[in-house]
Amino acid sequence: MAHLLMVESWVGSMSRLLPRAVREAGHEFTFLTRDLHHYLRSAPEGTAHPLLGARHLLTAETNETDALLPFVERTHEALRFDGVITSCDYYLPTAARIADRLGLPGPTAEAVETACRKDATRRALAASGVPGPRFARCASLAEAAEAARGIGYPLVLKPVDLCAGMFVRRVDDETALTAAYRALDGFPVNARGQRRNPVVLLEEFLQGPEVSVETVSYAGSARVVGVTDKSVGGAPAFIETGHMFPAALPAADVEAAVDTAVRAVKALGLDEVVAHTEIKLTADGPRVIEVNPRPAGNRITELVRHVTGIDLAAAAVDVALGRQPDLSRRPTGLSSAAIGFLVPDRAGTLTAIDGSDRVRSADGLLELQLAEPGKAVKVAGSNNEYLGHVMAGDADGPGARDRVETLLTALRPRVEAAR
């Protein structure tokens, strides 16, 4: 039995999946957070929070890594950790630095810090010849306007250090650029109380379908688990509206996406890590959007597990302990699995979601999760405002996405406008 230090977590599905993977492998974990109430306010899926299953709960200022490291060293002397893990993007560099300080397995802190900074990722990939969009790093609105004229509209404006699609916007002219820049400029601190880097990334707008490649790197080799497709809506925002695994693509496109993702992971120096690499399949070939040094979000890990039997959360636990992960496929009875998200298009208060009984009784349903009446609703601007999701599978082929989209049309949220 191993003992992991878990440094913060999300409050969504991964906060359930990662502790489950630790427990099912026969291990235990100690949870370290700066604010336990952040988690207790939002128990996932209406249950007792799984982080309360920790062997120990520790409180320390996790946003001040230099001060945190001596505290963790002293704690390690008493509790003896075998690995360090987190599921929260904002603490991936912290977990890597702790593992390095304690001499425990894991990716290098430098590699993780580069992957978690979109501008640093762009520079590293470009230096290694891994294809991506034309880009510019801008420290002011004036710099952004000048860079935009050089790259040419339309463009994508991104914060370099946020996640879940927050403040990522398509901009078609200088007026839209100014509005997007100022909106981001008004968000100086992220959801975990960390002060943001004020620079932005401008990127060439790429045309083509978007996919993600799920990989597990261990002992210097990146193993590909599969390719997931993605549907996006909410323009000018980029909101993930659904995914299917495996992606329904020609074999040549799958091969090109896989090759590009493996090159990207290696270019960043990522090893002993589960990675989720997002790629656009353009007319000129695949282009890397970003590389995430952690298991995929939005329940993609569950799509993979339903089809292949491979548990990417369990793989993340294994590599954090320096152990070779089990990536053998097992029969599951499903050829494809898909998820679709209920994305709000109006603000107010949720009073009901009609049609749920019909969806719950549908063939092939794997999951149905819906927000409770009384929830405050705002028009979605990122992947943080969903009203629920539908997950379904297909035993005979790539029909899971069509099944999910049909079920989503049966769900009709009722939102009462604010008075």
Side-chain angles (χ1 to χ4, degrees), residues 147 165 171 177 249 287 401 409:
V171 292
L177 175 67
L249 292 172
R287 299 289 185 267
R401 176 181 290 282
T409 61

Side-chain angles (χ1 to χ4, degrees), residues 210 230-235 237-242 280:
E210 187 170 338
K230 177 189 297 187
S231 56
V232 178
F238 294 85
I239 300 170
E240 296 177 0
T241 59
K280 276 272 193 178

Side-chain angles (χ1 to χ4, degrees), residues 113 134 162:
E113 287 165 0
R134 290 176 295 146
L162 290 177

Side-chain angles (χ1 to χ4, degrees), residues 14-35:
M14 194 51 67
S15 69
R16 178 177 62 84
L17 299 176
L18 202 56
R20 183 197 71 188
V22 172
R23 183 181 66 253
E24 290 181 354
H27 308 316
E28 58 186 359
F29 69 95
T30 287
F31 186 59
L32 172 62
T33 179
R34 68 192 295 265
D35 178 15

Side-chain angles (χ1 to χ4, degrees), residues 26 69 118 131 179 206 247 265 305 309 351 410:
L69 291 173
K118 295 179 176 65
L206 299 174
V265 168
R305 186 177 64 84
T351 59

Side-chain angles (χ1 to χ4, degrees), residues 30 41 84 149 171 233 246 258 311 336 348 381:
T30 287
R41 286 193 298 266
V84 187
R149 289 189 288 271
V171 292
V258 163
D311 188 339
S336 64

